[in-house]
Amino acid sequence: MDTLSYKTISLNKETAKKEWVVIDATDQVVGRLCTKVAKLLRGKYKPTFTPHVDCGDNVIIINADKVVFTGKKETEKLYTRYTGYPGGQRFNTPAELRKRPFGTERIIKHAVKGMLPKGRLGRHLLDNLYVYNGTEHKHEAQKPKAIDINLYK
């Protein structure tokens, strides 16, 4: 038995093969969509996954304004933010956030951020996520491939 053929491959940022993928978020549940997106960003679907390296794909989400929440979350879930001033705690529901510019982008990025590792790597991985409300995006030069997110677990 040749022991050299059983070496564990550990990627680094130069050897990681990153791809660009497009996901259509029409009628997708926010939490279920974001778990799959977090796994794609992390690279967990790849056989060469390395925990401490950015080896995941660059993900483009289109039609983000068409994502849905289950149950009463659209009107009863609260997002909390803090302005930095005394008494500056602000609360918003997803219905209120959708009316604001970049509101659905904030909803999706907030959900994905909670599913990524905390620290330097997680902040870097979140930069690989691009969210757009319509079907148009500005990453055509990267030749992203469209994938069906429902085929992933």
Side-chain angles (χ1 to χ4, degrees):
M1 181 163 83
D2 185 13
T3 57
L4 293 178
S5 65
Y6 294 104
K7 272 194 170 179
T8 301
I9 298 170
S10 184
L11 294 180
N12 57 25
K13 64 180 180 181
E14 288 82 25
T15 59
K17 293 180 177 69
K18 297 173 68 71
E19 298 177 347
W20 286 80
V21 296
V22 175
I23 296 172
D24 188 7
T26 305
D27 296 328
Q28 296 284 331
V29 178
V30 174
R32 294 171 191 264
L33 169 74
C34 291
T35 55
K36 296 170 186 175
V37 168
K39 281 186 181 181
L40 281 170
L41 287 171
R42 190 88 201 276
K44 286 211 163 187
Y45 290 115
K46 296 183 178 183
T48 57
F49 170 68
T50 308
H52 61 280
V53 177
D54 175 15
C55 56
D57 297 330
N58 295 302
V59 179
I60 304 164
I61 298 177
I62 57 173
N63 293 322
D65 52 345
K66 297 178 183 169
V67 294
V68 295
F69 284 92
T70 58
K72 298 180 182 178
K73 292 188 195 86
E74 186 75 33
T75 56
E76 293 185 4
K77 180 178 173 66
L78 286 179
Y79 289 100
T80 307
R81 62 186 178 85
Y82 181 61
T83 63
Y85 289 96
Q89 197 172 24
R90 303 286 186 255
F91 303 98
N92 290 60
T93 62
E96 293 168 352
L97 280 178
R98 284 181 194 266
K99 296 175 187 170
R100 294 183 173 194
F102 306 108
T104 49
E105 178 182 350
R106 287 189 183 132
I107 290 171
I108 291 177
K109 284 202 172 192
H110 182 271
V112 172
K113 181 182 177 184
M115 299 173 194
L116 291 175
K118 312 306 180 254
R120 195 182 304 173
L121 177 63
R123 289 189 299 271
H124 181 71
L125 290 173
L126 197 61
D127 292 338
N128 297 333
L129 176 64
Y130 304 92
V131 183
Y132 297 99
N133 280 339
T135 57
E136 300 296 320
H137 60 85
K138 59 182 181 180
H139 304 285
E140 291 298 331
Q142 281 75 24
K143 297 184 181 86
K145 64 176 187 175
I147 62 170
D148 184 14
I149 199 68
N150 295 324
L151 300 177
Y152 289 85
K153 283 191 172 185

